[in-house]
Amino acid sequence: MTNTPFPMSAPESQSNPAFEAAKSDVQRKTLEQRGQMDELMRLRHSCAHILATAVLRIWPDALLDIGPPTEEGFYYDFELSHRFTPEDFPKIEEEMRKVTKENQVFEKSIKTREEARAYFESKGQKFKVERLGDIPEGEAISFFQNGEFVDLCAGPHVMRTGNVKPGGIKLLKVASAYFRGNEKNPQLQRIYGTAFRNKEELDQWVTLQEEAKKRDHRKIGAEMGLFAFDSEYVGPGLALWLPKGGVLVEELEKLAKETEFQAGYVRVRTPHLAKEKMYTTSGHLPYYAESMFPPMEMLEEEERKMRDRLQERRADLIQLWDGMSHATSANPAGLTVEQLQHDIAKIEAEITFLGGRYYLKAMNCPHHHRIFAAEPRSYRDLPLRMAEYGTCYRYEQSGELFGLMRVRAMNMNDAHLYCTAEQFADEFRAVNDMYLKYFKIFGLDRYQMRFSTHDPARLGQKFVNEPELWRQTEDMVRNVLIESGINYVEVPNEAAFYGPKIDVQVWSAIGREFTIATNQVDFAVPKRFGLTYRDRDNTDKTPLCIHRAPLGTHERFIGFLIEHYAGNFPLWLAPEQVRILTLGDEEPLVTYAKSILQELRSQFVRVEGDFGTNPIKAKIADAEKARVHTMLVIGGRDLEAGAVSVRLHSKGPQGAKPRAEVVADIVASIRERRP
RNA sequence: GCCGGUGUAGCUCAGUGGCAGAGCAGCUGUUUCGUAAACAGCAGGUCGUCGGUUCGAACCCGACCACCGGCUCCA
């Protein structure tokens, strides 16, 4: 590999507020960073204190955790035997308004660590005592007090509680959150609220939220008949694509197949399950087993007992082996290392012979690796770009399921690019260009790439011990990102164990953030499968593998698109592209309308006709509700002129145009995938 | 998985211990019309499931299931 010089300085990450907020609990902001909190954030931060003040007045034994501002507003976490419900909100809000009217000063003070600890211990505020430990030695321990309420807090705040306008505050919901976000810690009750400078701005925001709710993909999906869930017969998290949603799936797949064909990909097809050995070899078992559906057991009773005995024996031998890894002498059982290895291999062969366990695949890579292994490979075959719309199954925890965005069966726009180290940068750049192409087609301007890198201190533990490959691939990835001017942040220590990765985050129109695509470098798993190609020098080498899924999964991507477009898809994607509406059902009008329908359909336009007796107003209302992209209204005037009257969904009538012109325009718009 | 909430017709919802309801959608008629809803009739439900309390349960209690809001995890 040629060692091109790379910029040494870390790129300036273009920060995103949502992302920063999400990290805030993990990475402490410096005092300086906090000082830069803007006016609205300061206001919300103070509101969190006012909320805690009010809660303590009503429930004096509430234990406090933290109360930061967020992009949406603020929250405060409490531990309390009373369960908060929305019915408590008016009472709490009333008390908060009182606090603002008391116009208390937010007073800052500095305490020593011992004073602070003594103070919170005297109050029994155990979470606060723990939080004290987060503050690095040498950093000032500051407190803010308003009225009777004292909190460990770096600030900053507004000057007085009176700066918060009572009409600008609203409590939103009560939820739960683990202390420090760790599920092993106690669960606290979190009260979410929001605050604005005044009532008008708050009302505006509330209206916006109501609008956003209408864009929820679950709601629009049901309205438009795109998909359904049947948790009773099919199962939770298993989406059924209805005919209209099936159109979206087909169109996306067509787009991806065309794009990938032009980029030199080949397509493969693999089964939805594989034997246990696949996942012990790939390394996904046992670490990933919790996310996989439980295995299908194919053994008879007796065989299963035998397999269990063999597995026990194997575990014992492996334990012996581990115990003697540093010793040259024989173990207590009197076996040498060679004997042990031999015995283990023999048992594994017997277990494999028994077979018996199949797993639904949670990822496509192992199958693709076996396709790579199915034929001898030469360096001349590389790069080999193997694509598949593979269906994967992941047993997501029940609480994680969320409409189409989080499901248990998913179709991935997957591909694995096998290449040499020399080819890596070009391949990676091409993948990157593909992302940008898609962003353009879908008019995505709000996105961010998360570039996850390794921590050199944890090589051999969390990350495979290939320091040179890590360095090279990370440098190349970083370089491509900088060159392309893409909006990205670098996240240290979050790479996969087998290589650095990029996740593409997007924000749907209603502000939900999703990881839609992923792009991972893998220089470990091909080795585990013993994949090699014959190089120029006649030696066998292990290929690098790039795992990429620019459209992520159909499920999540379409869920995202529904919210992105609010169901108003561009013509090429629209499930029903054109509907022809006649004024009445009389001849020769209907014959004329049918001939237009036939012409469009012969050009593969998804067109329907509404030739019944309903009044035209009613037909239009139906079509608008169904979000039909283009309506062609046909009356006597159009028939005489050989014209059609065009109406576009949510854009209204566009006037009468010659039939041939309209047909040609529709066909061209679809072919060009106009936005 | 954890915490909290919810579950009544295809959809949106009313019904808080005494006969299961409305609007929209659907079906059948009538209506023949120029850009967001013509009229009438009909049909539609084991009130999430199972158990308990009660003379009597959609309603009260319990368990389970599913969904919703979060946490954790993630494409």
Side-chain angles (χ1 to χ4, degrees):
Chain A
M1 172 183 298
T2 51
N3 279 320
T4 41
F6 301 112
M8 295 309 291
S9 59
E12 274 189 17
S13 60
Q14 286 156 285
S15 82
N16 172 282
F19 178 55
E20 294 305 321
K23 282 199 309 185
S24 65
D25 206 32
V26 186
Q27 291 178 1
R28 281 184 61 79
K29 288 196 178 93
T30 63
L31 287 177
E32 199 176 325
Q33 282 168 327
R34 282 167 184 259
Q36 290 159 359
M37 213 182 259
D38 70 26
E39 191 198 340
L40 188 59
M41 290 300 242
R42 261 212 306 276
L43 180 79
R44 288 172 173 175
H45 188 189
S46 299
C47 278
H49 281 231
I50 293 170
L51 167 62
T53 310
V55 166
L56 277 184
R57 281 185 183 176
I58 303 167
W59 295 278
D61 52 343
L63 294 186
L64 306 167
D65 186 28
I66 53 169
T70 65
E71 199 177 13
E72 291 280 274
F74 61 89
Y75 64 85
Y76 211 108
D77 285 348
F78 304 93
E79 188 180 78
L80 181 63
S81 54
H82 168 78
R83 294 279 150 206
F84 293 126
T85 68
E87 279 97 74
D88 294 326
F89 288 176
K91 192 164 48 174
I92 301 171
E93 282 174 345
E94 183 51 38
E95 201 57 45
M96 289 174 75
R97 279 192 281 276
K98 269 189 213 159
V99 175
T100 65
K101 291 200 177 110
E102 288 164 20
N103 203 17
Q104 303 160 348
V105 179
F106 279 100
E107 265 182 297
K108 183 175 179 173
S109 62
I110 305 289
K111 286 190 176 23
T112 66
R113 194 169 292 266
E114 291 66 36
E115 285 168 348
R117 174 178 294 273
Y119 173 77
F120 285 129
E121 279 176 353
S122 76
K123 298 263 180 185
Q125 292 286 0
K126 56 182 180 181
F127 300 111
K128 286 292 181 188
V129 174
E130 280 228 26
R131 293 283 181 183
L132 264 179
D134 296 349
I135 302 175
E137 285 300 327
E139 192 172 295
I141 297 179
S142 70
F143 278 70
F144 272 84
Q145 177 161 14
N146 57 288
E148 77 278 15
F149 179 72
V150 181
D151 202 356
L152 173 71
C153 175
H157 282 279
V158 294
M159 299 293 292
R160 299 174 151 269
T161 57
N163 292 76
V164 179
K165 295 286 163 268
I169 311 175
K170 185 179 172 63
L171 296 183
L172 299 174
K173 54 197 169 194
V174 51
S176 81
Y178 297 104
F179 178 59
R180 291 185 193 283
N182 186 326
E183 61 184 328
K184 293 190 178 64
N185 288 340
Q187 273 194 322
L188 308 174
Q189 299 189 70
R190 174 172 295 178
I191 296 179
Y192 281 95
T194 193
F196 288 86
R197 278 193 294 267
N198 50 52
K199 186 169 190 309
E200 290 68 44
E201 286 182 25
L202 173 67
D203 288 346
Q204 233 172 17
W205 178 83
V206 169
T207 311
L208 212 69
Q209 291 307 105
E210 282 159 5
E211 285 301 309
K213 230 176 168 175
K214 294 181 192 157
R215 282 191 176 224
D216 190 308
H217 76 280
R218 291 165 298 189
K219 189 173 165 59
I220 292 178
E223 281 168 11
M224 294 182 72
L226 300 177
F227 59 88
F229 287 94
D230 180 351
S231 49
E232 190 179 357
Y233 285 88
V234 184
L238 305 174
L240 297 171
W241 290 106
L242 308 180
K244 288 200 167 128
V247 166
L248 297 172
V249 170
E250 295 274 335
E251 285 298 332
L252 279 190
E253 208 163 307
K254 211 153 71 182
L255 170 69
K257 284 178 177 172
E258 287 172 15
T259 308
E260 285 159 11
F261 180 84
Q262 287 172 336
Y265 288 53
V266 291
R267 300 206 80 81
V268 296
R269 305 271 287 183
T270 61
H272 293 198
L273 35 60
K275 291 167 83 171
E276 182 169 32
K277 183 173 184 175
M278 182 77 107
Y279 304 106
T280 50
T281 305
S282 71
H284 286 107
L285 285 177
Y287 304 105
Y288 206 75
E290 262 188 24
S291 299
M292 297 175 75
F293 275 79
M296 278 160 269
E297 192 70 75
M298 306 300 289
L299 296 181
E300 298 294 329
E301 182 69 18
E302 280 309 303
E303 292 171 308
R304 196 161 63 237
K305 278 184 189 157
M306 184 185 293
R307 200 230 14 242
D308 290 347
R309 278 198 302 274
L310 286 167
Q311 277 178 337
E312 259 173 54
R313 178 73 183 141
R314 177 177 62 176
D316 290 345
L317 291 176
I318 287 173
Q319 206 177 347
L320 277 178
W321 189 19
D322 285 347
M324 59 190 296
S325 58
H326 298 293
T328 47
S329 60
N331 54 62
L335 294 166
T336 65
V337 174
E338 288 73 24
Q339 282 171 316
L340 265 178
Q341 275 177 329
H342 176 261
D343 286 359
I344 291 170
K346 195 171 152 197
I347 287 173
E348 279 178 352
E350 282 175 52
I351 292 172
T352 305
F353 179 75
L354 275 174
R357 255 184 204 166
Y358 286 81
Y359 282 87
L360 280 168
K361 66 180 176 186
M363 64 290 298
N364 299 305
C365 20
H367 282 84
H368 290 184
H369 292 335
R370 295 320 298 166
I371 289 181
F372 188 96
E375 296 180 276
R377 305 289 177 183
S378 148
Y379 72 95
R380 295 172 196 273
D381 301 328
L382 304 185
L384 176 63
R385 310 181 189 95
M386 208 186 280
E388 175 177 19
Y389 253 106
T391 309
C392 297
Y393 303 85
R394 295 185 189 171
Y395 194 79
E396 303 290 350
Q397 295 178 29
S398 60
E400 310 303 341
L401 300 177
F402 176 69
L404 283 180
M405 303 297 200
R406 197 73 181 273
V407 293
R408 284 181 174 160
M410 63 211 92
N411 287 280
M412 298 184 77
N413 169 223
D414 214 353
H416 295 90
L417 280 45
Y418 300 87
C419 63
T420 67
E422 289 79 5
Q423 292 163 339
F424 177 84
D426 282 343
E427 288 306 308
F428 187 81
R429 187 172 292 111
V431 169
N432 206 57
D433 289 345
M434 198 180 283
Y435 282 106
L436 295 178
K437 178 182 169 163
Y438 286 136
F439 291 164
K440 201 172 161 201
I441 289 175
F442 296 107
L444 267 171
D445 41 18
R446 197 173 171 212
Y447 64 87
Q448 174 177 269
M449 294 207 179
R450 267 179 75 119
F451 174 32
S452 302
T453 55
H454 80 299
D455 175 2
R458 301 178 72 183
L459 280 172
Q461 302 154 36
K462 189 178 174 186
F463 305 110
V464 292
N465 197 6
E466 299 273 6
E468 185 58 14
L469 280 170
W470 279 104
R471 197 191 62 77
Q472 284 179 343
T473 51
E474 285 179 3
D475 281 350
M476 283 188 291
V477 169
R478 190 179 294 117
N479 206 29
V480 170
L481 286 171
I482 292 169
E483 269 175 20
S484 60
I486 260 173
N487 176 22
Y488 83 101
V489 287
E490 190 159 330
V491 195
N493 200 23
E494 289 207 0
F497 76 93
Y498 46 73
K501 67 170 183 176
I502 287 177
D503 293 311
V504 181
Q505 291 175 301
V506 292
W507 284 264
S508 77
I510 59 179
R512 283 197 189 117
E513 175 261 309
F514 289 98
T515 301
I516 212 103
T518 186
N519 186 3
Q520 306 181 356
V521 183
D522 181 353
F523 39 73
V525 181
K527 191 177 272 180
R528 299 181 71 120
F529 277 98
L531 305 187
T532 58
Y533 63 93
R534 183 61 56 89
D535 208 351
R536 279 187 182 78
D537 61 6
N538 202 29
T539 62
D540 286 332
K541 294 192 176 141
T542 304
L544 283 181
C545 178
I546 299 173
H547 172 126
R548 42 108 279 173
L551 300 179
T553 66
H554 278 146
E555 285 73 15
R556 184 175 286 182
F557 198 80
I558 291 173
F560 168 77
L561 285 184
I562 292 168
E563 296 189 359
H564 180 65
Y565 291 120
N568 306 319
F569 297 103
L571 187 62
W572 71 276
L573 266 177
E576 188 175 339
Q577 294 171 315
V578 178
R579 188 180 293 180
I580 299 173
L581 319 172
T582 53
L583 278 94
D585 66 345
E586 289 177 351
E587 292 298 353
L589 203 58
V590 170
T591 300
Y592 177 61
K594 280 183 177 165
S595 81
I596 299 172
L597 184 140
Q598 276 314 318
E599 183 181 355
L600 285 167
R601 199 168 270 171
S602 74
Q603 306 260 23
F604 299 101
V605 177
R606 294 183 290 272
V607 54
E608 300 295 335
D610 187 350
F611 305 146
T613 64
N614 273 348
I616 192 67
K617 276 172 181 275
K619 292 185 181 183
I620 285 170
D622 283 346
E624 287 284 355
K625 266 193 304 183
R627 295 179 168 88
V628 175
H629 184 282
T630 298
M631 288 150 270
L632 303 181
V633 178
I634 314 276
R637 294 205 296 264
D638 303 289
L639 175 63
E640 276 174 35
V644 294
S645 295
V646 179
R647 181 189 169 102
L648 296 179
H649 169 56
S650 70
K651 292 200 181 83
Q654 310 289 308
K657 291 173 187 170
R659 166 183 174 166
E661 188 185 303
V662 169
V663 170
D665 191 56
I666 287 170
V667 170
S669 171
I670 293 169
R671 192 184 55 239
E672 294 162 22
R673 296 195 174 99
R674 290 187 198 152

